[in-house]
Amino acid sequence: MKINIKQAAATYLAAKIPAGKNVFLALDDGSNKFSKLGGSCSIGNKFQLVVADQADAEYNIGLDNNLGLTLTTAQPETTFLGNGLALDYNNAMLKLTDDSGILDGAVTVEPYTAPTQDQEALKAEMTELGGKIC
């Protein structure tokens, strides 16, 4: 797969992604270990870039890009990604598109932090976020 990172997005990402980091294009709909959000209204139309120190075995599909980033995605995400992938930045938002149109107009960039919360704290966080999702 290939993604074109447009100049405005490249400028924005330069301050967000340190050199040598791994970047995962991940869904942010509650379907994976990187997502804190979820709900029926976000399935397949909410993405995030997760910046990590190490590669992840599940995110093993390379996304060739014009910035030379180590950018990968996982098999479940490919269901929602088509030909002509592009990432742009305008109106203070990252926008992910493909030939079909806009996939997500508000892609986030998040550093990966290993989970440290116990299950009860995580459940409370998800309950609080639940009211903000749909």
Side-chain angles (χ1 to χ4, degrees), residues 11-130:
T11 301
Y12 175 76
L13 293 174
K16 298 278 189 184
I17 302 174
K21 297 288 185 174
N22 291 280
V23 183
F24 313 124
L25 177 60
L27 287 164
D28 195 9
D29 61 3
S31 66
N32 63 64
K33 60 187 160 195
F34 299 123
S35 180
K36 291 183 181 176
L37 300 178
S40 60
C41 65
S42 64
I43 294 173
N45 71 351
K46 184 88 177 93
F47 288 87
Q48 62 182 328
L49 295 174
V50 180
V51 182
D53 292 329
Q54 298 178 6
D56 187 291
E58 291 177 46
Y59 286 78
N60 59 1
I61 299 171
L63 291 170
D64 293 332
N65 63 85
N66 52 309
L67 291 187
L69 295 173
T70 303
L71 179 58
T72 58
T73 194
Q75 185 61 43
E77 278 76 353
T78 63
T79 301
F80 305 102
L81 304 174
N83 291 323
L85 276 177
L87 192 62
D88 201 357
Y89 183 78
N90 55 29
N91 298 324
M93 304 289 244
L94 278 174
K95 178 175 65 172
L96 180 66
T97 62
D98 68 9
D99 289 345
S100 70
I102 297 173
L103 301 175
D104 185 354
V107 176
T108 58
V109 181
E110 300 292 332
Y112 174 70
T113 52
T116 57
Q117 300 173 338
D118 65 8
Q119 291 295 359
E120 284 301 313
L122 182 58
K123 183 178 177 182
E125 180 182 12
M126 293 301 287
T127 300
E128 180 182 339
L129 286 172

